Amino acid sequence: MSTQHLSEQELIRRDKLAELKKLGIDPYPAPEFPVTHTSVDIKFGYSEEHKEAFAEVSLAGRVMSIRDMGKAAFAVIQDHAGRIQIYVKRDEICPGEDKTLYDTVWKKLLDIGDIIGIKGYGFITKTGETSVHVREFALLSKALKPLPVAKEKDGETFDAVTDPEFRYRQRYVDLVINPAVRETFVQRTKLVNTIRQFLNERGALEVDTPVLQSIPGGAAARPFITHHNALDIPLYLRIANELYLKRLIVGGFDWVYEFSRDFRNEGMDRTHNPEFTILEFYTAYKDYLWMMDQTEQLLEQCARALHGVTDVTVGDKVISFKAPFARVPIYDAIQQHTGIDVREMDEAELLKTCKSLHLVADATMGKGKLIDTLFGELCEHHYVQPTFIIDYPVEMSPLTKRHRKDARLVERFELMVNGKEIANAYSELNDPLDQRARFEEQAKLMERGDDEAMFIDYDFLRALEYGMPPTAGIGIGIDRLAMLMTNQASIQDVLLFPQMRPEKTSGAASEE
RNA sequence: GAAUUGGUAGCUCAGCUGGUAGAGCAAUACACUUUUAAUGUAUGGGUCCUGGGUUCGAGUCCCAGCCAGUUCACCA
């Protein structure tokens, strides 16, 4: 790219870069810069009584603002922990005759966005702000693009970058300039760590299973397809890892889990990204009732880890993750919200019912899908507080064990929070013959035109034939849980790099 | 995939009924040795998303497209 596409400010910064080099200053030096303190260590640790502990501090970070006052200046630098003000006095960083370092390097060549290292000591300014009095400073990395930093006064923010396209495409900038965004992702990691700790403490084993699968199983969804050249076969990006984790239960691991990055070739909106993360775990010799207890405990612990309490604010609602959660059979839920008892209906009656309620339904849909539609359209949004919807009809749950008391039902629950499904769990079907029959039922649905019906996975059936212990399994949508726990309305705000249509190269500058 | 809103300086945004493109911050220059949205003075900075059309004249009106947000549809 030629320089005519660069903005005035970018051209000026390139000139400054050349100027620095002319002065013998490497704008991108190699040596380690030893850091002794973070901004926050000093900001909240410093006091006049303990000033000796801060007599020699060294820290590094990005210049966020500069207030130049002639022969002295204030600046704010930001490191991974936060921000702190620094104070630079000309005659201190330039004790001799040569004032170039201050007059030229600091005042003329340093910009907001540059990364510097400083050495100095802690002190408190006249106006009471804990700061670092700089004795030495070094440029560690010159920024060539202007950083669009927001300004704040009295809690009000000015000129913050709010354009979602800018923020998602240039997340690196978003993270630098919007501390709340950074905090959301720290919280997300804390959430994942809490879950991992919860499971590890109980003896679960974290495993990795294939992302590239020749049969995309374990869920009803359209997969991404790719091709392996050496084997010359199609491969699918996984839509779920369920069948692999159950193979591991067959193999004798009694409690396995995986944070599974799954891929589904479907629409995108504020709750769907083509790749997303689900925690799945499977525990031998347990059932779905046990799993509900575990889920309550896990979510309560997550809320406490992130917020210290079990009440979490989500939008204009307060959601309590205090265990136990309500448990409502799906037929009761439908009856409660529609007044219709569908439990004895056959497929034709269900289809009629759906149509009479003005729901989109057609003959390709089996009984399971019709009931799912009734629940999803008319009931789901009512469940704001965490609620287990339990005992689904067998037709919509091809991998689930039949209910111990009613063979038309399965031992399954979905956890609804804030009107959305957060988790899906069941007593796993371990009867190989029943599983084969259910797969065959799915194959028939596929022939009827259901493009989300499951493929038959013969290797999985073979595994079951060797015997799988009775097992409880669950999948928890981590992105959606993160949205709840961090009070974000869009999945894009809990994904560091949400999927975007590729931008034209002219926008992403500097191909020179 | 559909509807809808938006795209103007590095950022946040004005720009009326079509008449030479505006502000604040950021940048540049000067002044200022404890400021904090530092301050004061001066200055520069634009592919008005792209391509067509209407018009004497288009940021503005019309058509097509691109990108994004929102709401649907599909789904977790």
Side-chain angles (χ1 to χ4, degrees), chain A residues 8-23 25 27-28 66 104-112 114 139 142-144:
Chain A
E8 181 193 36
Q9 295 197 39
E10 288 174 298
L11 290 170
I12 289 167
R13 290 196 179 205
R14 276 166 168 74
D15 289 345
K16 289 179 177 181
L17 190 72
E19 197 61 34
L20 284 162
K21 286 178 181 164
K22 213 184 286 174
L23 287 169
I25 296 169
Y28 305 102
I66 303 172
T104 306
V105 180
W106 175 273
K107 282 181 77 171
K108 304 261 188 215
L109 303 179
L110 191 71
D111 286 299
I112 288 172
D114 291 354
L139 178 64
K142 180 74 193 158
L144 295 182

Side-chain angles (χ1 to χ4, degrees), chain A residues 25-310:
Chain A
I25 296 169
D26 181 354
Y28 305 102
E32 170 187 17
F33 184 85
V35 169
T36 62
H37 292 70
T38 69
S39 59
V40 168
D41 292 338
I42 300 164
K43 195 163 182 175
F44 298 108
Y46 180 86
S47 66
E48 294 294 343
E49 300 84 71
H50 299 99
K51 57 160 64 170
E52 307 75 36
F54 298 90
E56 291 281 348
V57 300
S58 168
L59 64 160
R62 197 181 288 273
V63 177
M64 300 304 286
S65 67
I66 303 172
R67 292 179 290 280
D68 231 312
M69 304 181 54
K71 296 181 184 63
F74 290 91
V76 171
I77 65 172
Q78 172 172 290
D79 61 16
H80 72 93
R83 296 179 181 179
I84 191 162
Q85 176 171 270
I86 63 172
Y87 176 62
V88 182
K89 203 189 275 194
R90 186 187 72 172
D91 295 335
E92 212 149 339
I93 63 167
C94 304
E97 285 300 302
D98 182 6
K99 305 296 185 189
T100 309
L101 184 63
Y102 185 82
D103 287 343
T104 306
V105 180
W106 175 273
K107 282 181 77 171
K108 304 261 188 215
L109 303 179
L110 191 71
D111 286 299
I112 288 172
D114 291 354
I115 294 166
I116 63 172
I118 60 160
K119 291 177 183 161
Y121 57 91
F123 80 114
I124 296 175
T125 65
K126 262 189 205 165
T127 53
E129 178 144 350
T130 303
S131 307
V132 177
H133 196 122
V134 176
R135 291 200 192 92
E136 296 172 42
F137 95 94
L139 178 64
L140 301 180
S141 182
K142 180 74 193 158
L144 295 182
K145 280 184 167 297
L147 189 69
V149 279
K151 295 203 161 193
E152 273 180 48
K153 189 186 188 175
D154 305 328
E156 215 178 330
T157 303
F158 300 82
D159 298 346
V161 174
T162 51
D163 176 17
E165 183 172 359
F166 185 112
R167 292 186 40 233
Y168 300 148
R169 287 196 195 280
Q170 302 187 53
R171 182 70 92 184
Y172 35 88
V173 178
D174 192 28
L175 288 166
V176 169
I177 63 183
N178 292 324
V181 172
R182 179 194 178 86
E183 183 56 25
T184 296
F185 289 104
V186 171
Q187 291 282 86
R188 180 182 168 127
T189 296
K190 202 168 174 184
L191 172 70
V192 170
N193 288 344
T194 301
I195 296 170
R196 188 170 270 132
Q197 190 187 342
F198 179 97
L199 292 168
N200 287 345
E201 278 171 357
R202 285 161 176 72
L205 182 73
E206 184 168 13
V207 297
D208 289 304
T209 66
V211 173
L212 291 174
Q213 304 180 350
S214 53
I215 297 171
R222 280 201 297 278
F224 285 93
I225 187 163
T226 184
H227 184 263
H228 190 274
N229 289 341
L231 295 176
D232 192 25
I233 54 165
L235 284 175
Y236 300 88
L237 276 67
R238 69 179 167 198
I239 56 174
N241 61 350
E242 168 160 356
L243 301 186
Y244 282 94
L245 291 184
K246 286 201 269 198
R247 284 172 170 93
L248 295 176
I249 296 290
V250 171
F253 291 117
D254 282 350
W255 193 344
V256 290
Y257 74 94
E258 180 175 15
F259 286 94
S260 176
R261 185 69 62 90
D262 293 347
F263 306 83
R264 297 189 184 173
N265 204 343
E266 291 164 350
M268 292 165 58
D269 59 31
R270 67 178 215 293
T271 57
H272 296 83
N273 194 69
E275 60 182 289
F276 60 104
T277 303
I278 283 202
L279 164 73
E280 293 202 29
F281 72 79
Y282 292 81
T283 317
Y285 310 112
K286 303 297 185 188
D287 62 12
Y288 81 135
L289 299 172
W290 174 89
M291 187 61 90
M292 280 191 263
D293 297 340
Q294 289 295 301
T295 306
E296 288 167 347
Q297 287 175 35
L298 173 61
L299 293 192
E300 181 172 333
Q301 189 159 320
C302 288
R304 285 188 195 281
L306 268 61
H307 300 283
V309 292
T310 53

Side-chain angles (χ1 to χ4, degrees), chain A residues 306-319:
Chain A
L306 268 61
H307 300 283
V309 292
T310 53
D311 280 357
V312 177
T313 301
V314 181
D316 54 3
K317 303 179 185 102
V318 174
I319 292 175

Side-chain angles (χ1 to χ4, degrees), chain A residues 218 241-243 245-247 249-250 280-289 291 397-402 404 410-413 424-432 434-435 438 460 464 468-475:
Chain A
N241 61 350
E242 168 160 356
L243 301 186
L245 291 184
K246 286 201 269 198
R247 284 172 170 93
I249 296 290
V250 171
E280 293 202 29
F281 72 79
Y282 292 81
T283 317
Y285 310 112
K286 303 297 185 188
D287 62 12
Y288 81 135
L289 299 172
M291 187 61 90
S397 311
L399 301 168
T400 309
K401 186 174 278 195
R402 282 179 203 271
R404 62 195 74 181
V410 288
E411 298 208 343
R412 173 180 177 188
F413 70 79
N424 181 20
Y426 27 90
S427 301
E428 302 297 333
L429 180 58
N430 62 343
D431 176 340
D434 193 359
Q435 182 67 79
R438 307 270 197 101
F460 177 65
L464 289 190
M468 182 173 88
T471 297
I474 191 168

